[in-house]
Amino acid sequence: MPLLSDLTAAVAAGKRTDTVRLTQELLAAGTSPQDVVEKGLVPGMAIVGDRFKRNEIFVPEMLVAARAMKEALKLLEPLLAAAGIKPKYTAIIGTVQGDLHDIGKNLISMMWRGANFAVIDLGTNVTAEKYLAAAKEHKANIVGLSALLTTTMPSMKETVRILKSSGLDGLKVVIGGAPITQEFANDIGADGYAADAGSAVDLAKRLVGEAA
Ligand code: B1M
């Protein structure tokens, strides 16, 4: 029987076929779906996030690892749902109005899923009203806004204003994207800024009160 640490290593190395095979073998050998996620897959993506933060790997390697994890999660999602094991926290994510860049946003989405958040991805060109409606509908803990264009930063500011003045209890707004800085986040009253996917996971966990 393979070890959970073998699965962690396969995800971290972005080996999609091995990740899927090891997931299947661990499940067949009686490992619980929750352990496969929390003790096998999630630590693998944590390694990837740390390496990315240290510039030891770059976007292509992170995408490959994220895809490997996504394939394994496809096998696990129905089992987790059937067992009634639900992620504890919910995040909404999207790229702000006027902006069609989605690669970075997709990475954050996958990494948050990997950290066991339920993630509702609204796609690109998302209006403030749509974020707000989704946050209400799904009782979100976090709303994540991505922007890649300097011209869509005002749209991000307006979205943060609307979300933060909505009175939604405890809702945290996280922002990121190439032109975004911590200073901008402070200026517009966002609860947090992350420069990359690894930091976005740490930030989301910290904001919901889980140790990062
Ligand atoms: Co466009 N584009 N683009 N583009 N594009 C940029 C952003 C640009 C910097 C290129 C350049 O001029 N050097 C420039 C913006 C200039 C500016 O505003 N200062 C630009 C422009 C001008 C445009 C158009 C206006 C071009 C035109 O039509 N004349 C147009 C705009 C369309 C629109 O959005 N309305 C446009 C279009 C496109 C494509 C469609 C061709 C394509 C997007 C494809 C897609 O996303 N599906 C594209 C691409 C690919 C780029 C570049 C080359 C790459 C972006 C990318 O995916 N990076 C980009 C140049 C560049 O960034 N070097 C560029 C990889 C990705 C993993 O990184 O998205 O930064 P990134 O995400 C990172 C972090 O930022 C962070 O974590 C991620 C992982 O580390 N992060 C978050 C992101 N979101 C986060 C959210 C968080 C936390 C962290 O919390 C919620």
Side-chain angles (χ1 to χ4, degrees):
M1 169 179 154
L3 301 172
L4 283 161
S5 56
D6 298 333
L7 181 59
T8 301
V11 178
K15 292 184 175 165
R16 181 162 30 169
T17 311
D18 287 354
T19 301
V20 170
R21 179 181 52 77
L22 289 165
T23 298
Q24 283 164 333
E25 287 176 10
L26 282 161
L27 290 171
T31 310
S32 73
Q34 195 172 15
D35 278 357
V36 171
V37 174
E38 288 176 4
K39 298 180 183 168
L41 297 169
V42 171
M45 289 308 272
I47 291 172
V48 172
D50 285 346
R51 287 184 185 156
F52 185 73
K53 267 194 285 184
R54 290 197 298 269
N55 290 323
E56 291 168 8
I57 60 167
F58 299 97
V59 169
E61 289 94 330
M62 193 151 82
L63 273 173
V64 167
R67 283 204 198 107
M69 171 140 184
K70 236 180 146 185
E71 288 297 313
L73 282 177
K74 269 194 218 159
L75 294 174
L76 287 157
E77 269 165 9
L79 300 174
L80 291 169
I85 300 164
K86 293 221 169 69
K88 221 163 136 187
Y89 304 104
T90 299
I92 308 292
I93 195 163
T95 305
V96 299
Q97 186 169 24
D99 204 321
L100 302 175
H101 296 84
D102 69 352
I103 298 172
K105 182 265 298 168
N106 291 345
L107 273 173
I108 309 297
S109 174
M110 282 187 217
M111 291 292 285
W112 278 356
R113 284 197 177 109
N116 211 20
F117 281 74
V119 179
I120 289 96
D121 188 338
L122 302 178
T124 59
N125 193 24
V126 181
T127 61
E129 293 71 27
K130 199 166 170 195
Y131 283 110
L132 181 58
K136 280 184 184 159
E137 181 186 346
H138 299 283
K139 299 186 173 51
N141 306 94
I142 291 185
V143 176
L145 314 178
S146 180
L148 264 286
L149 298 170
T150 46
T151 49
T152 55
M153 289 167 72
S155 165
M156 181 176 257
K157 179 179 178 179
E158 176 63 2
T159 304
V160 171
R161 189 189 66 75
I162 288 177
L163 288 169
K164 293 306 290 179
S165 60
S166 66
L168 284 179
D169 200 26
L171 180 70
K172 305 289 184 192
V173 182
V174 173
I175 65 171
I180 307 304
T181 59
Q182 182 65 56
E183 196 187 3
F184 181 68
N186 297 343
D187 283 352
I188 68 173
D191 296 295
Y193 156 75
D196 54 53
S199 319
V201 169
D202 293 346
L203 175 64
K205 285 184 180 169
R206 216 170 43 242
L207 287 173
V208 297
E210 298 270 323

